[in-house]
Coordinates of all heavy atoms in Angstrom, one line a residue:
K262 N 10.3 8.0 1.8 CA 11.0 8.5 3.0 C 10.9 7.4 4.1 O 10.2 6.4 3.9 CB 10.4 9.8 3.5 CG 8.9 9.8 3.8 CD 8.4 11.2 4.1 CE 7.0 11.3 4.5 NZ 6.5 12.6 4.8
G263 N 11.6 7.6 5.2 CA 11.7 6.6 6.2 C 10.3 6.2 6.8 O 9.4 7.0 6.8
F264 N 10.2 5.0 7.2 CA 9.0 4.5 7.7 C 8.4 5.3 8.9 O 7.2 5.7 8.9 CB 9.1 3.0 8.2 CG 7.9 2.5 8.9 CD1 6.8 2.1 8.2 CD2 7.8 2.4 10.3 CE1 5.7 1.6 8.8 CE2 6.7 2.0 10.9 CZ 5.6 1.6 10.2
L265 N 9.3 5.7 9.8 CA 8.8 6.5 11.0 C 8.4 7.9 10.6 O 7.6 8.6 11.3 CB 9.9 6.6 12.1 CG 10.2 5.2 12.7 CD1 11.4 5.3 13.7 CD2 9.0 4.6 13.3
E266 N 8.8 8.4 9.4 CA 8.4 9.7 9.0 C 7.2 9.7 8.0 O 6.6 10.7 7.7 CB 9.6 10.4 8.2 CG 10.7 10.8 9.0 CD 11.6 9.7 9.5 OE1 12.0 8.8 8.7 OE2 11.9 9.7 10.7
T267 N 6.8 8.4 7.6 CA 5.7 8.2 6.7 C 4.4 8.3 7.5 O 4.2 7.6 8.6 CB 5.8 6.9 6.0 OG1 7.0 6.9 5.2 CG2 4.6 6.7 5.0
T268 N 3.4 9.1 7.0 CA 2.1 9.2 7.8 C 1.1 8.1 7.2 O 1.3 7.7 6.1 CB 1.5 10.6 7.6 OG1 1.2 10.7 6.2 CG2 2.5 11.7 8.1
A269 N 0.1 7.9 8.0 CA -1.0 7.0 7.6 C -1.7 7.6 6.3 O -2.1 6.9 5.4 CB -2.0 6.7 8.7
K270 N -1.8 8.9 6.3 CA -2.4 9.5 5.2 C -1.6 9.3 3.9 O -2.2 9.0 2.8 CB -2.5 11.1 5.4 CG -3.2 11.8 4.3 CD -3.4 13.3 4.7 CE -4.1 14.1 3.6 NZ -4.3 15.5 4.0
E271 N -0.3 9.3 4.0 CA 0.6 9.1 2.8 C 0.5 7.6 2.4 O 0.4 7.3 1.2 CB 2.0 9.4 3.1 CG 2.2 10.9 3.2 CD 3.6 11.2 3.8 OE1 4.1 10.5 4.7 OE2 4.1 12.3 3.4
L272 N 0.4 6.7 3.3 CA 0.1 5.3 3.0 C -1.2 5.1 2.3 O -1.2 4.5 1.2 CB 0.2 4.4 4.2 CG -0.2 2.9 4.0 CD1 0.7 2.2 3.1 CD2 -0.4 2.2 5.3
H273 N -2.2 5.7 2.8 CA -3.5 5.5 2.1 C -3.6 6.2 0.7 O -4.2 5.6 -0.2 CB -4.6 6.1 3.0 CG -4.9 5.3 4.3 ND1 -5.5 4.1 4.2 CD2 -4.5 5.5 5.5 CE1 -5.6 3.6 5.4 NE2 -5.0 4.4 6.2
A274 N -2.9 7.3 0.6 CA -2.8 7.9 -0.8 C -2.1 7.0 -1.7 O -2.5 6.8 -2.9 CB -2.1 9.3 -0.7
S275 N -1.0 6.4 -1.3 CA -0.3 5.4 -2.2 C -1.1 4.3 -2.6 O -1.2 3.8 -3.7 CB 1.0 4.9 -1.5 OG 1.9 6.0 -1.3
L276 N -1.9 3.7 -1.6 CA -2.8 2.6 -1.8 C -3.9 3.0 -2.8 O -4.3 2.3 -3.7 CB -3.3 2.0 -0.5 CG -2.3 1.3 0.4 CD1 -2.9 1.1 1.7 CD2 -1.8 0.0 -0.3
D277 N -4.4 4.2 -2.6 CA -5.6 4.7 -3.4 C -5.1 4.8 -4.9 O -5.8 4.4 -5.8 CB -6.1 6.0 -2.9 CG -7.0 5.9 -1.7 OD1 -7.4 4.8 -1.4 OD2 -7.2 7.0 -1.1
I278 N -3.9 5.4 -5.1 CA -3.5 5.6 -6.5 C -3.2 4.2 -7.1 O -3.6 4.0 -8.2 CB -2.2 6.4 -6.5 CG1 -2.5 7.9 -6.1 CG2 -1.5 6.4 -7.9 CD1 -1.3 8.7 -5.7
N279 N -2.4 3.4 -6.5 CA -1.9 2.2 -7.1 C -2.9 1.0 -7.1 O -3.1 0.3 -8.1 CB -0.6 1.7 -6.4 CG 0.5 2.7 -6.7 OD1 1.1 2.7 -7.7 ND2 0.8 3.6 -5.7
V280 N -3.5 0.7 -6.0 CA -4.4 -0.4 -5.8 C -5.9 0.0 -6.2 O -6.5 -0.6 -7.1 CB -4.4 -1.0 -4.4 CG1 -5.3 -2.3 -4.3 CG2 -2.9 -1.4 -4.1
A281 N -6.4 1.0 -5.5 CA -7.8 1.4 -5.8 C -8.0 1.9 -7.2 O -8.9 1.6 -7.9 CB -8.3 2.4 -4.8
G282 N -6.9 2.6 -7.7 CA -7.0 3.1 -9.1 C -7.1 1.9 -10.1 O -8.0 2.0 -11.0
L283 N -6.3 0.9 -9.9 CA -6.5 -0.3 -10.8 C -7.8 -1.0 -10.6 O -8.5 -1.4 -11.6 CB -5.3 -1.3 -10.5 CG -5.4 -2.6 -11.3 CD1 -5.5 -2.4 -12.8 CD2 -4.3 -3.5 -10.9
F284 N -8.3 -1.1 -9.4 CA -9.6 -1.7 -9.1 C -10.7 -0.9 -9.9 O -11.5 -1.6 -10.6 CB -9.8 -1.6 -7.6 CG -11.1 -2.2 -7.2 CD1 -11.2 -3.6 -6.9 CD2 -12.3 -1.4 -7.1 CE1 -12.5 -4.1 -6.5 CE2 -13.5 -1.9 -6.7 CZ -13.6 -3.3 -6.4
H285 N -10.7 0.4 -9.8 CA -11.8 1.1 -10.5 C -11.7 1.1 -12.0 O -12.7 0.9 -12.7 CB -11.7 2.6 -10.0 CG -12.1 2.7 -8.6 ND1 -13.3 2.4 -8.1 CD2 -11.4 3.2 -7.5 CE1 -13.4 2.6 -6.8 NE2 -12.2 3.1 -6.4
V286 N -10.4 1.1 -12.5 CA -10.2 1.0 -14.0 C -10.7 -0.4 -14.5 O -11.4 -0.5 -15.5 CB -8.7 1.2 -14.4 CG1 -8.4 0.8 -15.8 CG2 -8.4 2.7 -14.2
A287 N -10.4 -1.4 -13.7 CA -10.7 -2.7 -14.1 C -12.3 -2.9 -14.1 O -12.9 -3.5 -15.0 CB -10.1 -3.8 -13.2
Q288 N -12.9 -2.4 -13.1 CA -14.4 -2.4 -13.0 C -15.0 -1.7 -14.2 O -16.1 -2.1 -14.6 CB -14.9 -1.9 -11.7 CG -14.7 -2.8 -10.6 CD -15.6 -2.5 -9.4 OE1 -15.9 -1.4 -9.1 NE2 -16.0 -3.6 -8.7

C-alpha cells in the first residue's frame, strides 16, 4: 500500500519476517 498509509508497525513486521527470519535461520 502507499507509503503514507504504511505504518511503522507494518514496516517492522516486514523486516522481522524477511530479514530477522533469515538471520535466525542462518544462526
Side-chain angles (χ1 to χ4, degrees):
K262 58 187 184 180
F264 173 77
L265 295 177
E266 290 75 47
T267 303
T268 67
K270 184 177 180 177
E271 290 168 326
L272 171 66
H273 289 287
S275 293
L276 293 168
D277 282 347
I278 292 167
N279 293 282
V280 181
L283 174 57
F284 180 88
H285 294 298
V286 166
Q288 283 200 328

